[in-house]
């Protein structure tokens, strides 16, 4: 794929920002605005996946873990805010006399909750990434390990119903940091925060891609040993990308909760984690906009095709996924560049980016 | 490529602009928790239900895919049958039912999203469906926010009420408490609790433990397995070791198949260690892979029930396309729910939610259901039901071995039972608002 000039990408983000923050609230009904808000949360996580996988070559198949850290931190705070000084209602149902578990207590504080949403994924991904990358765990082993973690966390949450709401999940939130969630104006606010955070994440990734770190990350993906010979430690480079992607997943998860109004282990487990990957692959993992647009398209498909064709839509997604992987490994966002390359083929050699991508395909 | 200072400054400016936008958004916002008027004002969103035409739109929300599809497709199908019957006899207030079927996909956030879609995009007058308590808990905040109506057709754990939900299945005092009374009358001394790991079994068992203490029945063990898991081997080994007089089974869905297999593999038999279930009905009994003859179930409706209306219901269902051929309690409750809505709307003379709720309170709403003549309690939105215990016979039908002497009035918060802690009732009622 040809590299776009920086100002083109930046104005693309600008157009996207205007669409999401100005046009969407004006033209969409509040039901659809809320749905787009949900897609934005998945897109935030997807931007992180694009960064770690598309640019860093790490197939992060367990982003549900970090999505959960943010989502459950937020959900615990909102549950406590709704319950006031009482024990949350769902706990009373299962064991009428037991007190609030100790790990819930700090989530009463707004500051602690916001810190947890940011720091928990950083710490967990930091420790995990350090242990894995320093031992040079990569490829399928890394992917399977992250996937297993997502399964383990979903199982843990399912089996601790009194502490975490279990399979039923946490829901019925009345307030969002003091704002009444049922108020339509506040729903627009929550949506706007999610959309704005998506734009911020896109800007952050845009900045990363242009920086020396971005070049180093791509170099690590394509030729890790050479990077090592040049005197860099690839483990550190990958660690930073992994932590950033974990942080983005956590932010996406945190905003998912007030928008959707419920979080359950099904939204963070293996299937959910793979669906996040699917969106990124469809859109184009290495491009700036591909992951976000792909995730939003998958979300939209789930809402609309899932309604009209409940039995068939997952097949459509599967088929699309296969077709894209076979014929368009760089995702739908590489289509324009492909067409351009076709037209210019007689005179122009493949660009370095395409050569690198082809090299990667051959190896993976 | 290195980053020049001017580029970095531009990026910073962009981030700054976004930050400012967010701050402005936060400032220009709606109600805060401290505004007393906010909640009352916000929930009164204008309804978009169209009552001007010759049809009325209703929403059916059932899991047509995923793990619960096996049970919920039947509910969806019987709702279609009830709608066809009502349409054939003139509709509701003279308007034919036009239904919108949605798939809950056995995923609780999907239930919430589809409820919102049905109420705001399709503008349905009421929604019917759900099966697991988890799905109902996901739907509840949405119907309350949009001031819609939801009719829930499955027995559940009680301790809930909502101005926007009508419950046509049993609450605890119409199913679990009769089952416990039956066990006490049989002289049962020790009981083992086996359930799926989610709201209904956990809550039901919390109530069972409180009541068992009062009845002098000892609980010798309690085991849970997630809804989507089928392996009960190690849990059943604990049951075999504990040698209880009876097993109280609150397992839901296909996980029951694994439980019954492990039960026979461990050498347990209905003669020595019988099971009493609250989720195995005529539909499920033949699908257990083993003969379950001799075990018990507590329900309000059985296909073998002798009432004036039951033969016609069984006949219509057997003749209905794609029907499973047998009738069961949850599908009968779903059948009731649509007719109960018809009675409510016609008593109110309007499809308006507030008018329907007012009619529920001020008028006596009844329906000649296959289980007998049920009466709506307008205050708690549940219906009166007869209690029945059935024993599975060789044809996978139930021989009724116990029946309540009259219809049991619904008591979701167990206010008529002194063994249920008053402080907890108060807290749960308070949380329900």
């Amino acid at each position: 794929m040809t590299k776009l000039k920086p100002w083109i990408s930046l104005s693309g983000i600008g157009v996207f920002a205007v669409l999401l923050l100005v046009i969407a609230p004006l033209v969409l009904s509040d039901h659809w605005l809320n749905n787009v808000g949900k897609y934005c949360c998945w897109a935030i996580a997807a931007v992180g996946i694009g960064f770690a996988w598309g640019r860093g070559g790490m197939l992060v198949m367990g982003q549900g873990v970090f999505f959960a850290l943010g989502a459950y931190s937020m959900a615990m705070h909102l549950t406590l805010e709704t319950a006031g000084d009482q024990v949350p209602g769902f706990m009373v149902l299962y064991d009428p006399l037991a007190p609030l578990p100790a790990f819930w207590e700090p989530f009463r504080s707004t500051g602690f909750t916001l810190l947890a949403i940011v720091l928990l994924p950083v710490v967990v991904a930091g420790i995990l990434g350090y242990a894995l990358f320093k031992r040079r765990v990569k490829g399928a082993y890394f992917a399977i390990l992250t996937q297993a973690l997502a399964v383990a966390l979903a199982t843990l949450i399912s089996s601790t119903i009194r502490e975490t709401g279990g399979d039923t999940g946490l829901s019925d939130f009345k307030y969002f940091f003091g704002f009444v969630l049922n108020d339509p104006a506040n729903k627009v606010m929550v949506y706007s925060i999610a959309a704005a955070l998506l734009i911020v994440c896109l800007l952050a990734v845009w900045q990363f891609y242009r920086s020396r770190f971005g070049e180093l990350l791509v170099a690590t993906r394509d030729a890790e040993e050479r990077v090592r010979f040049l005197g860099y430690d690839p483990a550190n480079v990958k660690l930073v990308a992994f932590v950033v992607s974990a942080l983005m997943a956590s932010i996406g998860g945190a905003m998912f909760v007030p928008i959707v109004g419920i979080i359950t282990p099904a939204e963070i487990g293996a299937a959910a984690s793979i669906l996040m990957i699917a969106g990124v692959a469809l859109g184009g993992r290495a491009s700036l906009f591909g992951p976000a647009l792909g995730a939003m398209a998958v979300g939209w498909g789930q809402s609309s095709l899932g309604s009209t064709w409940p039995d068939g839509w997952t097949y459509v997604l599967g088929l699309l996924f296969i077709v894209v992987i076979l014929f368009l490994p760089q995702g739908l966002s590489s289509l324009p560049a492909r067409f351009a390359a076709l037209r210019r083929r007689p005179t122009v050699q493949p660009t370095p980016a395409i050569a690198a991508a082809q090299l990667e395909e051959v190896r993976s | 490529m290195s980053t020049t200072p001017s580029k970095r400054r531009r990026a910073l400016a962009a981030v700054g602009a976004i930050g400012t936008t967010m701050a402005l958004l936060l400032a220009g916002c709606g109600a805060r928790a401290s505004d007393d008027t906010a909640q009352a004002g916000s929930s009164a969103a204008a309804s978009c239900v169209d009552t001007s035409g010759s049809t009325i739109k209703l929403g059916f929300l059932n899991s047509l895919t995923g793990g619960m599809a096996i049970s919920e497709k039947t509910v969806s199908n019987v709702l279609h049958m009830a709608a066809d019957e009502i349409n054939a006899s003139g509709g509701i207030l003279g308007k034919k039912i036009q239904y919108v079927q949605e798939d809950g996909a056995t995923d609780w956030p999907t239930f919430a999203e589809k409820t919102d879609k049905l109420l705001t995009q399709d503008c349905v007058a009421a929604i019917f469906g759900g099966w697991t308590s988890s799905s109902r808990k996901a739907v509840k905040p949405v119907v309350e926010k949009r001031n819609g109506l939801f009719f829930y057709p499955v027995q559940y754990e009680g301790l809930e009420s909502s101005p926007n939900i009508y419950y046509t299945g049993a609450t605890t005092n119409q199913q679990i408490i009769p089952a416990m009374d039956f066990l006490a009358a049989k002289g049962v001394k020790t009981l083992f609790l086996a359930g799926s790991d989610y709201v209904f079994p956990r809550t039901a068992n919390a109530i069972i433990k409180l009541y068992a203490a009062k009845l002098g029945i000892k609980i010798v063990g309690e085991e849970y397995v997630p809804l989507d898991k089928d392996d009960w081997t190690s849990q059943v080994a604990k049951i075999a070791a504990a040698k209880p007089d009876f097993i109280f089974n609150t397992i839901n869905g296909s996980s029951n198949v694994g439980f019954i297999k492990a039960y026979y593999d461990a050498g347990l038999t209905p003669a020595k260690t019988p099971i009493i279930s609250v989720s195995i009905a005529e539909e499920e009994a033949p699908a257990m892979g083993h003969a379950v003859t001799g075990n018990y179930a507590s329900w309000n409706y059985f296909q073998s029930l002798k009432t004036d209306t039951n033969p016609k219901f069984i006949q219509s269902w057997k003749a209905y396309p794609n029907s499973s051929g047998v009738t069961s309690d949850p599908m009968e409750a779903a059948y009731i729910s649509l007719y109960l809505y018809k009675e409510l709307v016609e008593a109110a003379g309007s499809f308006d939610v507030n008018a329907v709720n007012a009619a529920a309170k001020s008028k006596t709403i009844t329906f000649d259901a296959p289980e007998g003549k049920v009466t709506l309690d307008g205050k708690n939105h549940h219906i009166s039901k007869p209690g029945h215990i059935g024993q599975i016979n060789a044809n996978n039908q139930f021989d009724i071995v116990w029946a309540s002497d009259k219809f049991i009035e619904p008591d979701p918060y167990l206010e008529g039972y002194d063994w249920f802690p008053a402080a907890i009732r108060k807290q749960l009622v308070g949380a329900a608002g």
Side-chain angles (χ1 to χ4, degrees):
Chain A
M1 165 189 29
T2 47
K3 207 164 223 172
L4 296 175
K5 289 209 164 59
W7 66 267
I8 297 182
S9 301
L10 195 59
S11 43
I13 295 178
V15 170
F16 200 44
V18 171
L19 274 177
L20 282 180
L21 286 165
V22 182
I23 312 279
L26 289 178
V27 299
L28 292 178
S29 67
D30 64 342
H31 172 77
W32 274 105
L33 192 68
N34 207 47
N35 275 353
V36 173
K38 179 167 77 171
Y39 312 152
C40 283
C41 297
W42 282 325
I44 292 172
V47 170
I49 294 174
F51 188 50
W53 181 34
R55 295 282 163 145
M58 292 166 277
L59 181 49
V60 282
M61 283 181 56
Q63 289 304 85
V65 171
F66 305 110
F67 197 80
L69 290 178
Y72 274 89
S73 296
M74 177 67 88
M76 286 199 283
H77 177 72
L78 299 190
T79 302
L80 288 172
E81 208 180 337
T82 305
D85 49 2
Q86 306 231 304
V87 175
F90 77 91
M91 292 185 181
V92 180
L93 283 181
Y94 309 134
D95 186 355
L97 304 169
L100 188 71
F103 74 92
W104 274 70
E105 206 57 60
F107 285 96
R108 280 193 196 285
S109 144
T110 304
F112 181 88
T113 306
L114 294 177
L115 267 183
I117 291 166
V118 174
L119 289 183
L120 268 179
V122 169
V123 170
V124 173
I127 295 172
L128 188 71
Y130 186 83
L132 292 175
F133 300 135
K134 286 291 180 192
R135 284 189 173 77
R136 303 190 189 177
V137 175
K138 53 187 167 187
Y141 300 100
F142 177 81
I144 290 167
L145 201 138
T146 51
Q147 172 88 98
L149 278 177
V151 175
L153 185 63
T155 308
L156 178 72
I157 293 174
S158 291
S159 61
T160 50
I161 190 165
R162 208 196 89 78
E163 288 78 15
T164 63
D167 179 64
T168 308
L170 297 173
S171 65
D172 214 348
F173 315 113
K174 301 262 189 296
Y175 309 109
F176 175 73
F177 299 104
F179 291 95
V180 178
L181 264 178
N182 273 359
D183 189 313
N186 289 343
K187 286 297 261 186
V188 175
M189 169 189 75
V190 174
Y191 160 79
S192 305
I193 294 174
L197 283 168
L198 173 59
I199 301 300
V200 170
C201 287
L202 281 172
L203 279 172
V205 167
W206 172 78
Q207 179 62 26
F208 262 124
Y209 287 177
R210 300 164 62 240
S211 68
R212 286 184 56 183
F213 177 80
E215 301 285 305
L216 199 53
L217 186 63
V218 172
T220 308
R221 175 193 74 188
D222 294 339
E224 189 170 334
E225 290 310 312
R226 284 200 193 178
V227 170
R228 202 188 308 281
F229 293 144
L230 286 173
Y232 294 99
D233 186 351
N236 292 342
V237 177
K238 289 161 113 180
L239 185 60
V240 170
F242 185 51
V243 166
V244 167
S245 77
L247 176 61
M248 288 182 182
S250 177
I251 292 171
M255 291 314 298
F256 183 87
V257 168
I259 288 175
V260 177
I262 175 170
I263 181 75
T264 71
E267 308 312 301
I268 63 135
S273 298
I274 289 174
L275 214 56
M276 291 182 203
I277 294 272
V280 174
L282 280 182
R285 60 192 151 157
S287 72
L288 179 63
F289 293 103
L293 294 177
M296 296 181 92
V298 168
W300 176 82
Q302 216 169 8
S303 299
S304 57
L305 294 181
S307 265
T308 48
W309 201 18
D311 290 322
W313 117 262
T314 41
Y315 295 107
V316 174
L317 181 66
L319 194 68
L320 196 61
F321 192 67
I322 292 169
V323 167
V324 166
I325 294 291
L326 278 180
F327 301 107
L328 262 184
Q330 292 305 303
L332 294 174
S333 64
S334 66
L335 267 179
R338 283 249 167 157
F339 281 127
L342 270 181
R343 247 185 294 144
R344 286 176 307 186
R345 182 157 284 170
T347 51
V348 183
Q349 291 293 311
T351 59
I354 288 185
Q358 283 165 346
L359 189 72
E360 190 198 6
E361 269 167 54
V362 169
R363 278 190 290 137
S364 59
Chain B
M1 179 177 72
S2 69
T3 313
T4 61
S6 74
K7 280 177 185 166
R8 186 161 287 172
R9 229 177 291 136
R10 248 186 290 157
L12 282 176
V15 173
I18 296 286
T20 318
T21 317
M22 280 177 74
L24 284 172
L25 284 165
L26 281 166
C29 267
R32 285 175 169 271
S34 49
D35 305 349
D36 288 337
T37 51
Q39 274 178 292
S42 64
S43 65
S47 156
C48 62
V49 179
D50 179 14
T51 54
S52 61
S54 62
T55 59
I56 184 74
K57 268 188 176 177
L58 299 179
F60 296 159
L61 179 55
N62 316 92
S63 295
L64 305 177
T65 56
M68 291 306 297
I70 186 169
S71 300
E72 292 190 48
K73 273 184 177 168
T74 304
V75 169
S76 159
N77 212 12
V78 82
L79 284 168
H80 295 180
M81 179 176 101
D84 290 351
E85 283 183 15
I86 291 173
N87 282 346
S89 63
I92 303 177
L93 274 185
K95 293 182 197 300
K96 295 271 164 69
I97 298 169
Q98 182 196 348
Y99 54 76
V100 182
Q101 177 72 56
E102 275 292 348
D103 176 21
T106 322
D107 180 63
W108 323 141
T110 303
F111 269 93
E113 184 193 324
K114 297 303 180 194
T115 304
D116 200 61
K117 180 204 168 248
L118 285 168
L119 292 175
T120 65
Q121 306 302 113
D122 300 318
C123 297
V124 301
I127 300 173
F128 301 78
W131 183 294
T132 61
S133 285
S134 301
S135 67
R136 190 192 63 253
K137 298 248 178 224
V139 166
K140 183 169 171 274
V142 183
V143 282
E144 287 176 351
K145 173 185 160 195
R146 300 285 187 193
N147 196 25
L149 280 180
F150 182 62
F151 284 75
Y152 175 71
V154 181
Q155 46 76 232
Y156 81 116
E157 67 280 0
L159 304 177
E160 192 182 285
S161 62
S162 165
N164 301 95
I165 302 181
Y166 285 83
Y167 306 77
T168 60
T171 176
T172 23
N173 78 311
Q174 297 169 317
Q175 186 189 28
I176 301 231
I177 290 174
M180 290 299 285
D181 288 335
F182 169 74
L183 295 182
K186 261 182 107 66
V188 168
K189 289 276 165 267
T190 54
L191 191 61
F192 201 105
L193 310 179
S196 302
D197 205 352
Y198 76 105
V199 187
F200 165 67
R202 288 271 180 178
T203 311
N205 284 344
I207 293 169
I208 288 171
K209 282 189 274 183
L210 287 167
Y211 193 34
K214 166 95 175 179
L215 292 171
I217 296 176
K218 192 163 172 249
I219 306 294
V220 292
E222 185 180 358
E223 287 295 332
Y224 298 92
V225 161
L227 254 183
D228 53 352
K229 298 284 184 302
D230 296 329
D231 186 12
W232 275 89
T233 317
S234 59
Q235 288 80 7
V236 167
K238 289 184 193 161
I239 300 179
K243 293 192 175 64
D245 293 344
F246 243 93
I247 301 169
F248 205 111
N249 169 13
T250 47
I251 304 165
N252 235 295
S254 55
S255 189
N256 265 309
V257 178
F259 173 70
I260 296 293
K261 180 179 185 303
Y263 170 86
Y264 282 101
D265 288 352
L268 299 173
T269 59
K272 275 200 174 151
T273 320
I275 306 169
I276 184 157
S277 305
V278 288
S279 297
I280 295 184
E282 290 85 347
E283 293 259 335
E284 290 84 8
M288 288 299 143
H290 279 269
V292 276
T293 313
N295 284 316
Y296 298 83
S298 175
W299 290 109
N300 309 101
Y301 171 87
F302 285 109
Q303 186 173 339
S304 55
L305 217 56
K306 302 273 181 286
T307 64
D308 298 340
T309 41
N310 198 18
K312 185 181 159 282
F313 176 61
I314 297 169
Q315 199 188 355
S316 316
W317 179 241
K318 282 186 172 162
Y320 199 72
N322 304 320
S323 105
S324 49
V326 289
T327 57
S328 64
D329 187 293
M331 55 158 291
E332 188 250 5
Y335 181 78
I336 294 177
S337 70
L338 200 59
Y339 275 98
L340 196 73
Y341 178 67
K342 172 182 153 74
E343 299 293 332
L344 270 167
V345 167
E346 289 178 348
S350 158
F351 289 96
D352 179 68
V353 174
N354 297 336
V356 164
N357 280 344
K361 280 208 176 67
S362 62
K363 299 190 175 160
T364 308
I365 310 293
T366 60
F367 171 60
D368 270 318
E371 69 188 66
K373 188 175 183 177
V374 297
T375 311
L376 177 71
D377 184 324
K379 285 198 290 296
N380 61 30
H381 286 192
H382 290 63
I383 58 176
S384 65
K385 284 179 162 285
H388 290 114
I389 311 279
Q391 188 173 22
I392 305 174
N393 64 28
N395 303 322
N396 284 317
Q397 283 291 322
F398 288 79
D399 298 328
I400 292 164
V401 293
W402 179 89
S404 61
D405 46 7
K406 56 180 184 353
F407 274 49
I408 306 168
E409 293 303 320
D411 184 1
Y413 285 103
L414 301 172
E415 285 162 285
Y417 301 87
D418 57 357
W419 45 264
F420 192 78
I424 290 170
R425 182 182 306 128
K426 196 170 156 227
Q427 187 179 342
L428 289 170
V429 174

